[in-house]
Amino acid sequence: MKLLIDDAHIDLIKEIYEYYPVDGVTTNPSILAKCGEEPFKVLKEIRQLIGDEAQLHVQAVADTAEGMVEDARRITRELGADTYVKIPAIKEGFKAMKILAEEGIRVTATAVYTPMQGFLAGKCGAAYVAPYINRIDNMGYNGIGVAKQIHDILKNNHMETEVIAASFKNTQQVLELCVYGVGAATVAPDVIQGFVKNREIMAAVDDFVKDFEELTGKGKTMSAL
């Protein structure tokens, strides 16, 4: 399962990239708005930081298929042909997805709440389908279950489209989809930090250090012996 950062703040992305094995960054209009800067300025900084090989997902904002296609062309022109353009899985979006797939522009279907949205996006040639786990939960349904069902639909229908699950509130949700083998998950920096933020883990490490220092002396490490 690929792991991506769902954020646009360059300092947070830098910190996660320094310590964790991540595969790219996803953004959306709301995330960009929180940065308070010109969108392409922020996005170009992210692209420069993560490099051309890493995935970068950027959302089209227009509300018509034609507008979405123009947004997608501009996004890939500015940020590179390998950039994934997020298109909402709605009527106008499906039309745009088909056009973009024919042009060879990589599409991530976003705002996915139902399995049929995922199926239709796959049929339109989307590279990824992004179910919103926590938002689906808040509607009274099972977000993890929907993501798994979309994954199964795509695989059973022999589509190359993968799930990129989004909108997580805790590490357990990510773990369940990791075990299931979905294609990717995009996760907020604080949730990624929570993967290993555990008192018992740190206590075990502290005990090892304390025992070693009792043997060799305060502040000693293996390289200092």
Side-chain angles (χ1 to χ4, degrees), residues 13 32 45 47 51 76 94 100 110 128 135 141 145 160 182 186:
I13 294 170
L32 289 172
E45 287 179 358
R47 173 55 85 193
T76 53
F94 295 131
L100 295 172
T110 193
Y128 282 106
R135 295 191 187 187
Y141 300 99
E160 295 182 3
V182 303
T186 180

Side-chain angles (χ1 to χ4, degrees), residues 153-165:
I153 287 170
L154 297 172
K155 297 307 176 187
N156 291 339
N157 285 277
H158 310 291
M159 297 181 185
E160 295 182 3
T161 309
E162 296 277 3
V163 167
I164 179 169

Side-chain angles (χ1 to χ4, degrees), residues 13 25 45-46 52 58 64 72 81 104 107 114-116 121 145 151 161 163-165 190 193:
I13 294 170
V25 173
E45 287 179 358
I46 294 171
D52 294 333
V58 180
T64 66
V107 170
T114 70
M116 284 308 298
H151 173 83
T161 309
V163 167
I164 179 169
D190 61 325
Q193 297 276 19

Side-chain angles (χ1 to χ4, degrees), residues 66-77:
E66 292 74 20
M68 292 175 194
V69 169
E70 288 305 312
D71 276 4
R73 290 169 179 162
R74 174 71 188 281
I75 288 166
T76 53
R77 209 163 47 237

Side-chain angles (χ1 to χ4, degrees), residues 195-220:
F195 290 167
V196 293
K197 190 176 181 180
N198 183 294
R199 289 184 179 179
E200 293 303 317
I201 294 172
M202 296 311 301
V205 174
D206 290 343
D207 285 343
F208 290 141
V209 172
K210 180 181 177 182
D211 290 343
F212 192 79
E213 288 182 339
E214 287 179 357
L215 174 66
T216 62
K218 186 73 174 176
K220 290 292 183 69

Side-chain angles (χ1 to χ4, degrees), residues 69-158:
V69 169
E70 288 305 312
D71 276 4
R73 290 169 179 162
R74 174 71 188 281
I75 288 166
T76 53
R77 209 163 47 237
E78 295 283 348
L79 302 169
D82 290 339
T83 304
Y84 292 80
V85 180
K86 297 171 71 174
I87 302 291
I90 58 176
K91 182 180 177 180
E92 292 291 325
F94 295 131
K95 180 180 178 180
M97 289 178 205
K98 292 193 294 180
I99 296 170
L100 295 172
E102 288 182 1
E103 293 186 9
I105 294 178
R106 300 179 181 184
V107 170
T108 296
T110 193
V112 174
Y113 289 80
T114 70
M116 284 308 298
Q117 282 180 286
F119 172 69
L120 291 172
K123 290 277 285 181
C124 288
Y128 282 106
V129 172
Y132 290 173
I133 306 304
N134 195 46
R135 295 191 187 187
I136 295 170
D137 282 354
N138 289 338
M139 292 171 62
Y141 300 99
N142 184 338
I144 294 296
V146 169
K148 289 179 178 179
Q149 193 171 14
I150 293 172
H151 173 83
D152 290 343
I153 287 170
L154 297 172
K155 297 307 176 187
N156 291 339
N157 285 277
H158 310 291

